[in-house]
């Protein structure tokens, strides 16, 4: 089913603050609470809304260090790639793992409390994975923009 303007407004409102009730969202976009509730349920059932989460403050939780790590594996052998991907899924420090086309095979976003914690992650976890050939780290010194909101039409 195609999305209409009301669906897009609901999705925008959910991206801004998913803790609001259907009644609150309905009031903001000008529809009834029951209509809004039904649409939110449909959008969720159809997979437009994957999950509702809280975005935590890294600073408040003393997770101030953020790194972007480009990784190459030894071979593009499916076994090495599969093993690397499965390991990434188990590491809580890895918030994102992307498969890349180009000079590197993977891009990771890693968060730790500090540089020493990252060093332990790097040497005791990341570079110990069989098949990891190279890992190049960039340190984020400040976050200019971070959003989870998609640019809806």
């Amino acid at each position: 089913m195609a999305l209409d303007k009301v669906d897009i407004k609901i999705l925008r409102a959910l991206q801004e603050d998913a803790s609001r009730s259907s009644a609150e969202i309905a009031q903001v976009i000008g529809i009834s609470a029951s209509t809004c509730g039904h649409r939110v349920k449909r959008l969720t059932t159809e997979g437009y809304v994957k999950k509702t989460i809280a975005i935590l403050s890294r600073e408040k939780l003393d997770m101030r260090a953020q790194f972007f790590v480009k990784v190459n594996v030894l071979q593009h052998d499916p076994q090495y790639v599969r093993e690397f991907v499965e390991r990434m899924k188990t590491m809580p420090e890895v918030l994102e793992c992307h498969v890349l086309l180009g000079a590197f095979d993977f891009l990771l976003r890693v968060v730790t409390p500090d540089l020493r914690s990252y060093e332990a992650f790097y040497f005791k976890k990341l570079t110990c994975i069989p098949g990891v050939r190279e890992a190049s780290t960039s340190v984020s010194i400040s976050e200019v923009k971070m959003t989870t909101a998609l640019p809806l039409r």
Side-chain angles (χ1 to χ4, degrees):
M1 180 182 247
L3 299 177
D4 63 17
K5 290 179 182 180
V6 173
D7 291 331
I8 297 296
K9 287 179 182 180
I10 291 170
L11 291 173
R12 277 195 189 116
L14 288 170
Q15 285 191 124
E16 285 176 19
D17 183 359
S19 69
R20 292 186 286 185
S21 68
S22 291
E24 291 171 307
I25 293 171
Q27 187 175 11
V28 169
I29 64 174
I31 60 174
S32 74
S34 63
T35 298
C36 186
H38 291 301
R39 284 187 179 235
V40 167
K41 186 174 182 177
R42 178 181 56 81
L43 291 166
T44 301
T45 301
E46 291 177 1
Y48 291 100
V49 178
K50 289 172 68 171
K51 67 170 124 172
T52 304
I53 61 167
I55 298 173
L56 306 180
S57 167
R58 286 189 305 108
E59 291 76 20
K60 289 275 192 188
L61 295 166
D62 289 327
M63 302 296 282
R64 298 176 190 274
Q66 180 168 239
F67 307 88
F68 294 90
V69 187
K70 293 178 275 186
V71 177
N72 275 327
V73 292
L74 284 172
Q75 303 171 14
H76 291 132
D77 183 287
Q79 176 186 342
Y80 286 120
V81 172
R82 189 171 37 257
E83 166 119 15
F84 183 83
V85 168
E86 290 308 312
R87 290 277 194 94
M88 291 304 100
K89 291 177 182 177
T90 68
M91 295 182 181
E93 302 91 345
V94 178
L95 301 189
E96 296 178 35
C97 176
H98 302 268
V99 178
L100 302 178
L101 295 175
F104 287 89
D105 300 320
F106 296 93
L107 176 65
L108 312 177
R109 183 164 73 100
V110 177
V111 170
T112 64
D114 52 36
L115 190 56
R116 183 157 306 215
S117 300
Y118 177 73
E119 180 183 21
F121 165 81
Y122 184 87
F123 287 113
K124 294 179 181 174
K125 291 185 177 182
L126 181 62
T127 58
C128 292
I129 298 172
V132 170
R133 179 181 58 145
E134 176 185 11
S136 174
T137 301
S138 296
V139 181
S140 172
I141 59 170
S142 94
E143 194 170 271
V144 176
K145 179 182 179 181
M146 195 296 285
T147 183
T148 59
L150 296 174
L152 300 176
R153 53 181 153 71

